[in-house]
Amino acid sequence: MICAQTRFPGVSVSQVARRYDVNANQVFNWLKDPQFAASPKVDDVARFLPVEVVEPVQPPPSSGAACREMLIELVSGHRLTISGSYDPTALAALIRKLSA
């Protein structure tokens, strides 16, 4: 029971040891002992994380230049023609996939 209480987030071994009037070093020794290892049921407990829902951020208006659509043309598997604006990361991923 003492070892199980040390596994809760935000709880220190020292706090639990003081609560039961046990030396913290002894609790650390118990935690190393496989006999007191956490059971799989305890480790598989669902955990919830805080989520904040915010309004989507709108991109700033372009500086007057018209944004063209991207056009990718693949000719005979060896030549790639790109026109318009493009995302370099997405393009690199596409080239990696095509060359694999």
Side-chain angles (χ1 to χ4, degrees), residues 89-100:
T89 307
L91 181 60
L94 174 65
I95 292 171
R96 275 189 233 107
K97 289 284 187 182
L98 290 173
S99 63

Side-chain angles (χ1 to χ4, degrees), residues 7-95:
R7 293 185 182 94
F8 286 99
V11 177
S12 72
V13 171
S14 299
Q15 289 173 327
V16 176
R18 277 187 298 234
R19 187 177 306 140
Y20 292 98
D21 197 27
V22 178
N23 189 312
N25 290 330
Q26 181 61 52
V27 177
F28 280 114
N29 287 335
W30 288 337
L31 289 171
K32 293 176 194 174
D33 189 342
Q35 175 183 355
F36 300 110
S39 65
K41 293 185 292 184
V42 174
D43 291 339
D44 292 339
V45 173
R47 292 185 173 84
F48 295 94
L49 299 175
V51 174
E52 181 180 351
V53 178
V54 297
E55 293 296 320
V57 177
Q58 298 296 326
S62 62
S63 60
C67 188
R68 299 185 324 189
E69 289 187 28
M70 182 173 93
L71 174 67
I72 299 177
E73 182 180 359
L74 182 62
V75 180
S76 72
H78 299 286
R79 186 170 146 204
L80 192 62
T81 305
I82 303 166
S83 61
S85 60
Y86 61 91
D87 177 14
T89 307
L91 181 60
L94 174 65
I95 292 171

